Amino acid sequence: MNRLRKHIEEIISLTDEEFDYIKTFFTFKNVRKNQFLVHEGDEVNFEFLTLDGIYKVFYIDGNGKEHILQFAKKDWWMTDYIGFFKEKNATMFVECLQDGAVACLTLEGREKLASEFHKMEYFFRAKLTNGYIALQQRIILLLSSTPQQRYEEFSKLYPDLISQIPKKYVAEYLGVSRETLSRLYSNNK
């Protein structure tokens, strides 16, 4: 609970009474390595705040190739947002890469919190805005940079993830082969 409150209070301030009410909208779940929080085809019931562990959000194309859209670590939000906001079945997966824990929030709970507390509406808008900016930066990087530049940017933004995530997943995220990633890794030692 303290971590949830700290996370929210990075953006807004809360009274004890407000937080006591807000926390009733969240459920908490321990997650094991290789466990799926979202599986393609399932209903997307929750948006997840990562409290501990590392996760990947990915989809599998028609040829069976995996494409990683996002990694999530402590204090990051994740889900299949298309399924969550449009209340459709998942087209993506959310998988735990390292034992952890998440706070779970339903769309109904999110909407109720946002409508009842303008502070929480501001909090969710700030989180969504930051996520949208990060997504645009990632797309621009993928479209206009070399593998070397993508690797350097990833290393700069997420130095702790480089050592905690299997190299094959880093390669998928960067859109390079594992061999190319090995060369990039060797060149940057």
Side-chain angles (χ1 to χ4, degrees):
M1 288 295 177
N2 286 340
R3 183 165 301 151
L4 175 62
R5 184 169 185 165
K6 272 183 153 176
H7 177 72
I8 294 170
E9 287 186 328
E10 288 175 0
I11 296 176
I12 61 171
S13 61
L14 295 172
T15 67
D16 289 341
E17 294 77 27
E18 287 172 332
F19 182 70
D20 285 343
Y21 181 68
I22 289 166
K23 71 183 180 187
T24 66
F25 287 86
F26 288 86
T27 56
F28 298 87
K29 180 176 185 163
N30 290 319
V31 191
R32 295 176 323 278
K33 181 178 180 177
N34 301 322
Q35 183 178 349
F36 287 88
L37 291 171
V38 175
H39 195 282
E40 180 184 38
D42 291 348
E43 287 182 22
V44 184
N45 297 315
F46 299 103
E47 179 179 29
F48 304 96
L49 169 62
T50 302
L51 301 173
D52 198 20
I54 298 175
Y55 305 80
K56 68 175 178 167
V57 179
F58 67 100
Y59 78 98
I60 299 175
D61 68 19
N63 296 321
K65 184 176 179 188
E66 184 176 298
H67 301 274
I68 299 174
L69 278 70
Q70 173 190 8
F71 291 113
K73 60 181 187 167
K74 184 179 147 195
D75 292 332
W76 291 11
W77 290 81
M78 64 184 170
T79 196
D80 175 334
Y81 282 104
I82 296 168
F84 182 72
F85 284 118
K86 293 191 172 267
E87 299 181 85
K88 295 185 175 195
N89 288 350
T91 57
M92 296 181 212
F93 300 84
V94 177
E95 182 182 8
C96 182
L97 299 179
Q98 190 182 85
D99 288 352
V102 293
C104 312
L105 180 64
T106 65
L107 180 60
E108 180 183 345
R110 189 183 203 278
E111 295 300 316
K112 187 171 181 179
L113 278 173
S115 68
E116 291 180 357
F117 286 98
H118 291 293
K119 287 191 223 180
M120 285 302 292
E121 179 184 33
Y122 176 79
F123 171 81
F124 289 128
R125 190 173 64 243
K127 285 295 181 181
L128 203 57
T129 300
N130 290 337
Y132 189 74
I133 290 167
L135 178 62
Q136 280 191 340
Q137 290 171 329
R138 175 162 156 65
I139 291 169
I140 290 168
L141 196 64
L142 284 170
L143 293 174
S144 64
S145 63
T146 66
Q148 178 73 38
Q149 291 167 324
R150 291 195 298 271
Y151 177 82
E152 288 170 0
E153 186 67 15
F154 184 82
S155 297
K156 184 175 77 176
L157 290 173
Y158 315 114
D160 54 328
L161 288 182
I162 287 283
S163 62
Q164 295 179 7
I165 296 174
K167 299 292 183 255
K168 71 179 186 171
Y169 296 146
V170 174
E172 286 176 20
Y173 181 82
L174 296 175
V176 300
S177 69
R178 287 170 54 182
E179 295 78 18
T180 299
L181 180 66
S182 291
R183 279 194 308 279
L184 296 171
Y185 184 75
S186 295
N187 292 343
N188 285 288
K189 278 189 170 183

